[in-house]
Amino acid sequence: DVQLVESGGGSVQAGGSLRLSCAASGRALRAYCLGWFRQGPGKEREGLAGVSGGGITIYDNSVRGRISISRDVGKNTVSLEMNSLKSDDTAIYYCAAKYGGNCGDWAQYNNWGQGTQVTVS
């Protein structure tokens, strides 16, 4: 299993930017996809972006162009930068991991952090 701890959430003004970070721990982390998800009020959890151990990134079409995922294999961290934030971006943001495969296969992520709240006003 992979343990994940998010940081960097908070309150942001509309139009602003935010960077979220996630520290991962466990064995053979490079073999895992790391991804970011979010769940807004009254909404289902949705996948936003994923990155492989080799640095290949994939984004959901709903947020493509406004977010960027990056991974530091040496530090076992994954980050998400979000720009042009809107009130609809208000959600709990989760870091997640899955072993191998297509990093855009959101349904297969099965290791989760506790989440960090982002509020855009």
Side-chain angles (χ1 to χ4, degrees):
D1 283 354
V2 177
Q3 291 75 48
L4 303 160
V5 179
E6 302 95 338
S7 61
S11 296
V12 187
Q13 288 190 339
S17 301
L18 189 68
R19 181 182 176 91
L20 303 177
S21 296
C22 173
S25 59
R27 299 183 63 181
L29 286 174
R30 189 157 189 166
Y32 284 78
C33 293
L34 298 179
W36 284 96
F37 291 68
R38 69 183 178 188
Q39 186 167 16
K43 299 180 181 179
E44 294 186 356
R45 187 162 54 190
E46 59 177 342
L48 302 175
V51 57
S52 70
I56 298 173
T57 58
I58 187 165
Y59 297 94
D60 187 81
N61 286 335
S62 65
V63 291
R64 189 185 302 274
R66 290 201 301 126
I67 69 172
S68 177
I69 189 170
S70 59
R71 179 171 181 169
D72 188 325
V73 174
K75 295 182 179 179
N76 292 329
T77 59
V78 60
S79 299
L80 183 73
E81 292 193 14
M82 305 173 57
N83 303 307
S84 303
L85 288 166
K86 306 176 291 186
S87 58
D88 285 350
D89 294 316
T90 295
I92 299 174
Y93 284 74
Y94 296 91
C95 180
K98 65 183 284 292
Y99 185 82
N102 181 356
C103 294
D105 191 352
W106 312 127
Q108 297 303 313
Y109 282 79
N110 57 0
N111 293 270
W112 298 92
Q114 81 287 354
T116 185
Q117 176 71 47
V118 172
T119 302
V120 182
S121 59

